Amino acid sequence: MSTPYPFTAIVGQDDLRLGLLLNAVSPAVGGVLVRGEKGTAKSTAVRALAALMPEVPVVPGCRFSCDPGSPDPACPDGPHAEAAGVSRAARTVELPVGASEDRLVGALDIERALSEGVKAFEPGLLADAHRGILYVDEVNLLHDHLVDLLLDAAAMGASYVEREGVSVRHAARFLLVGTMNPEEGELRPQLLDRFGLTVEVSASRDTDERVEVVRRRLAYDDDPGGFAARWAEEEGALRERIAAARVLLPRVVLGDGVLRQIAATCAAFEVDGMRADIVMARTATALAAWAGREEVTADDVRQAALLALPHRRRRNPFDAPGLDEDKLDQTLDEAGPREDGSDDDDPDPGPDGGGDGGGGGGVPPQADGDRTPPSASQSDDTPSPAPESAPDAPGRPAGGEQQPVAAAEPFRTKMLSVPGLGEGAAGRRSRARTEHGRTTGAVRPQGALTKLHLAATVQAAAPHQRARGRAGRGLVVRRDDLRQATREGREGNLVLFVVDASGSMAARQRMSAVKGAVLSLLLDAYQRRDKVGLVTFRGKEAEVALPPTSSVDAAAARLESLPTGGRTPLAAGLLKAHDVLRVERLRDPSRRPLLVVVTDGRATGGPEPVALAARAGRLHRSEGTASVVVDCESGYVRLGLAGELARELGGTAVTLDELRADSIAGLVKDVTAAGRAA
């Protein structure tokens, strides 16, 4: 077994270490999500935490780590007779991004269950992680069905395995720790909320600190055992401090005034639900115990808010997590006790009472001149002045280009999908053969059986019962009788946006609407678990503004800063998109692409620009690429060029109005098409 890097040898990263240590003191805090760029000791710190955790008493021989003091009455290895427990080190169990469902929750031997009536169960990672740490590296890349199972287990403290009427349940209470790089995409809101705390990490820009990081890492790589021995004393002291804080934790007092500050803070920042209040209370209590105090202070509440609230304020994937610390200080000040010792919840403060704005009960603070710092006069929800307000700002694009304009308000879009039946990664867009979904048939299993088709299995075994000497009530089942269920669900696609940023699109109001439409499609791609890419064309060439990625917020940021102007090299944009799709087909052949071209259909620049664009469109059609053209043409006189481009691509064309899910124009178009088909 390799020697882990010592926790106390990690340089800097104070928030990361504090978040992990608070969970070690009080596992009820609910885990921690570590967000940050690659190479910032995220995984190193998580793996080092296990060495600091107290040992766990377990029932000897129990595969589910039952506590000998209170064993699980429903344990699959039980019931457990009274016996002395044995102690073992706390486990850190890692969940790989590509793990199967059976690897996570465990597997049932269906053949033995049918033929012998035996619940032969092989525990999964959730059983291994019980009473320990479950670590998910790159948690934002975890498949949806695994996320759902993880959410259920984290919420209920138990894991359930259901296979065709055969059910097994076992306890699964664990400290959930996830690490992620936001550049690769954000987490679903449901999973975000399951993490008690979140910390942001980044590499230090201090030269001396970076030198020390390299020096320690090289020393560890040369001699892991010797390096760990040099830090053994510090590790032992930290382990003792964690144990002392755990003993002190039940005695920590959480006063009514502190609870009011917690409630007021959560209300002021408009977090959803009540989980944030509970997590803040538990975190503040753990902070007090960690500091060796028996009473929670306002400073503990402030630190708890900085750890527990930022990831709960995201309303959509384009929102950056974070808190306005000036607003936080003002809220805590207004919700705290007054200098005369009275409380803000005085039922009758009088006509002059509550001079500090009071607020109490979670009313968001209001600027009142004397108490609000200048930097807090504008809340974090108030938009800053647009860059267009300074027409003579340095760095203004030349050559006919215009400054980027802000996108219009996003809206819910119509469903765009790839025709046919795919086999790509699970998602919510196009029809596909998946592990989850409605059952459509049965086949002989090629490898391990994962989804039994019970009716087909019984039908295959029934004709052979007499030949197999069946005498009792049980069904005699052989391996050849088993049938795998085929299921149809939805897959995620690669949605490649090709956006016209030329002068013909440069009218400010028009480009704002176009950006709003693309932003709406990006939001739709996030909800449907797609990868996205962005190609733009203007002037003389096209460029890949964003290579295909799972990070839709990165695409939104590129879109927001997109300038416009110049000619319309439509063919160049389509050919650049073809190059991107060609490479992606080699990287991920099972993920089908959807090409979304956002243009008015005009093509200018170079010889025969319209004919070249048509040829580029036919190139996509010859390779079977599904496509949609979002027609951005406006005005009373319409040339219909976007429709012609859609025909060359072999796709469909929709206007900006028809793109809306609640569009009357789109509804009329659908009804007309249905009438023609009838």
Side-chain angles (χ1 to χ4, degrees):
M1 182 177 179
S2 61
T3 303
Y5 191 91
F7 190 89
T8 50
I10 296 173
V11 179
Q13 307 296 12
D14 294 339
D15 288 343
L16 169 59
R17 290 187 293 160
L18 178 61
L20 292 172
L21 289 171
L22 291 177
N23 276 277
V25 171
S26 176
V29 166
V32 59
L33 173 66
V34 185
R35 298 164 47 94
E37 59 198 31
K38 51 188 175 294
T40 49
K42 301 188 297 293
S43 300
T44 299
V46 175
R47 295 187 178 107
L49 178 66
L52 302 175
M53 301 286 284
E55 290 191 336
V56 179
V58 297
V59 173
C62 178
R63 297 175 297 168
F64 302 88
S65 301
C66 279
D67 187 345
S70 57
D72 181 5
C75 176
D77 284 355
H80 298 296
E82 293 186 9
V86 296
S87 294
R88 61 161 174 79
R91 293 174 179 162
T92 296
V93 177
E94 296 192 30
L95 173 61
V97 171
S100 65
E101 178 180 336
D102 286 347
R103 184 72 186 96
L104 177 62
V105 301
L108 279 168
D109 190 333
I110 298 297
E111 185 175 356
R112 292 189 63 191
L114 289 176
S115 60
E116 303 175 27
V118 176
K119 293 183 179 180
F121 179 66
E122 184 65 30
L125 295 176
L126 290 179
D128 292 341
H130 179 47
R131 304 176 67 201
I133 301 171
L134 181 61
Y135 170 45
V136 188
D137 193 13
E138 305 294 351
V139 63
N140 50 327
L141 303 182
L142 201 63
H143 288 301
D144 272 3
H145 68 283
L146 295 182
V147 171
D148 292 334
L149 293 170
L150 200 56
L151 287 175
D152 290 342
M156 297 184 295
S159 174
Y160 292 84
V161 183
E162 303 280 351
R163 294 289 188 277
E164 303 297 340
V166 181
S167 176
V168 174
R169 171 220 171 266
H170 65 82
R173 292 182 296 276
F174 46 82
L175 169 59
L176 182 61
V177 181
T179 58
M180 60 173 283
N181 184 347
E183 294 177 357
E184 297 170 337
E186 286 292 346
L187 273 173
R188 289 169 54 183
Q190 297 96 321
L191 187 56
L192 265 179
D193 193 47
R194 292 296 181 188
F195 286 99
L197 311 179
T198 184
V199 294
E200 297 279 344
V201 296
S202 60
S204 172
R205 300 297 181 258
D206 181 80
T207 302
D208 293 337
E209 192 167 297
R210 294 175 74 97
V211 167
E212 186 61 23
V213 170
V214 175
R215 181 182 291 117
R216 293 186 186 183
R217 186 68 208 192
L218 293 177
Y220 170 78
D221 291 341
D222 289 341
D223 182 11
F227 184 82
R230 290 196 292 274
W231 290 89
E233 185 176 348
E234 288 82 354
E235 291 281 288
L238 188 58
R239 193 177 297 110
E240 291 177 1
R241 184 177 176 185
I242 292 173
R246 283 193 166 197
V247 172
L248 179 61
L249 186 66
R251 303 200 303 269
V252 175
V253 177
L254 190 69
D256 289 344
V258 169
L259 279 174
R260 177 169 292 279
Q261 286 183 313
I262 292 172
T265 301
C266 292
F269 285 100
E270 299 179 351
V271 296
D272 295 332
M274 295 297 298
R275 183 175 282 115
D277 304 62
I278 297 170
V279 171
M280 272 190 65
R282 289 172 174 167
T283 305
T285 304
L287 280 162
W290 178 246
R293 288 182 275 100
E294 294 189 5
E295 186 172 357
V296 177
T297 67
D299 288 339
D300 295 329
V301 175
R302 186 182 191 279
Q303 183 65 57
L306 293 174
L307 292 171
L309 296 188
H311 60 300
R312 292 185 164 89
R313 299 201 63 236
R314 290 174 61 89
R315 291 295 184 268
N316 63 62
F318 311 133
D319 292 338
L323 289 183
D324 182 336
E325 295 193 31
D326 291 324
K327 181 178 179 179
L328 173 61
D329 291 336
Q330 182 182 356
T331 303
L332 292 174
D333 189 26
E334 294 185 355
R338 299 177 182 176
E339 294 182 0
D340 60 2
S342 62
D343 291 330
D344 287 335
D345 58 350
D346 188 344
D348 185 17
D352 298 324
D356 61 349
V363 178
Q366 305 294 326
D368 57 14
D370 294 335
R371 300 183 58 84
T372 306
S375 58
S377 60
Q378 178 174 293
S379 73
D380 59 341
D381 297 325
T382 304
S384 58
E388 297 89 86
S389 60
D392 297 325
R396 181 182 177 87
E401 292 185 1
Q402 297 189 19
Q403 286 279 41
V405 298
E409 190 70 21
F411 52 84
R412 190 167 64 90
T413 65
K414 298 189 71 171
M415 174 68 168
L416 304 177
S417 62
V418 178
L421 193 63
E423 296 181 346
R428 297 184 178 180
R429 183 173 297 279
S430 305
R431 293 174 54 223
R433 297 183 185 92
T434 60
E435 293 185 0
H436 301 269
R438 64 185 182 90
T439 301
T440 58
V443 296
R444 289 180 181 270
Q446 299 300 316
L449 180 71
T450 56
K451 298 293 182 183
L452 176 76
H453 194 298
L454 183 59
T457 299
V458 173
Q459 187 176 13
H464 309 291
Q465 296 305 295
R466 180 175 297 179
R468 293 172 182 174
R470 175 186 173 188
R473 299 175 59 185
L475 189 68
V476 182
V477 179
R478 299 285 186 262
R479 174 69 186 175
D480 290 343
D481 300 328
L482 299 179
R483 295 294 182 268
Q484 175 85 19
T486 58
R487 302 192 175 191
E488 182 179 310
R490 295 280 173 175
E491 68 177 359
N493 298 107
L494 166 59
V495 182
L496 182 61
F497 295 93
V498 182
V499 180
D500 186 348
S502 64
S504 64
M505 305 281 289
R508 302 192 71 77
Q509 187 174 0
R510 184 180 180 190
M511 196 60 198
S512 178
V514 168
K515 284 188 176 182
V518 178
L519 199 64
S520 304
L521 290 168
L522 284 171
L523 183 58
D524 181 69
Y526 166 79
Q527 294 167 343
R528 300 190 187 280
R529 314 292 180 258
D530 296 316
K531 289 181 69 175
V532 297
L534 179 63
V535 173
T536 63
F537 59 93
R538 61 187 177 88
K540 297 181 179 180
E541 60 185 13
E543 66 173 349
V544 181
L546 182 71
T549 175
S550 298
S551 179
V552 295
D553 48 341
R558 300 290 197 283
L559 179 73
E560 195 69 26
S561 61
L562 178 66
T564 57
R567 294 186 174 182
T568 313
L570 177 57
L574 295 174
L575 292 174
K576 181 68 72 173
H578 179 267
D579 291 341
V580 172
L581 295 180
R582 177 177 54 81
V583 173
E584 286 301 309
R585 284 191 180 97
L586 296 174
R587 289 178 176 172
D588 190 358
S590 64
R591 188 180 288 269
R592 296 187 295 165
L594 174 63
L595 185 67
V596 179
V597 185
V598 185
T599 181
D600 56 8
R602 290 182 172 87
T604 60
E608 299 183 345
V610 177
L612 284 175
R615 288 173 57 188
R618 290 193 293 272
L619 179 61
H620 283 282
R621 183 175 63 182
S622 68
E623 297 186 352
T625 303
S627 59
V628 176
V629 178
V630 180
D631 185 359
C632 303
E633 191 173 25
S634 60
Y636 294 105
V637 179
R638 293 179 177 267
L639 302 178
L641 298 176
E644 293 181 12
L645 175 62
R647 285 189 289 274
E648 297 290 356
L649 286 164
T652 59
V654 296
T655 65
L656 288 175
D657 288 338
E658 292 169 349
L659 189 61
R660 293 177 178 270
D662 55 355
S663 166
I664 295 179
L667 178 62
V668 171
K669 182 177 180 179
D670 290 344
V671 171
T672 303
R676 289 173 181 170

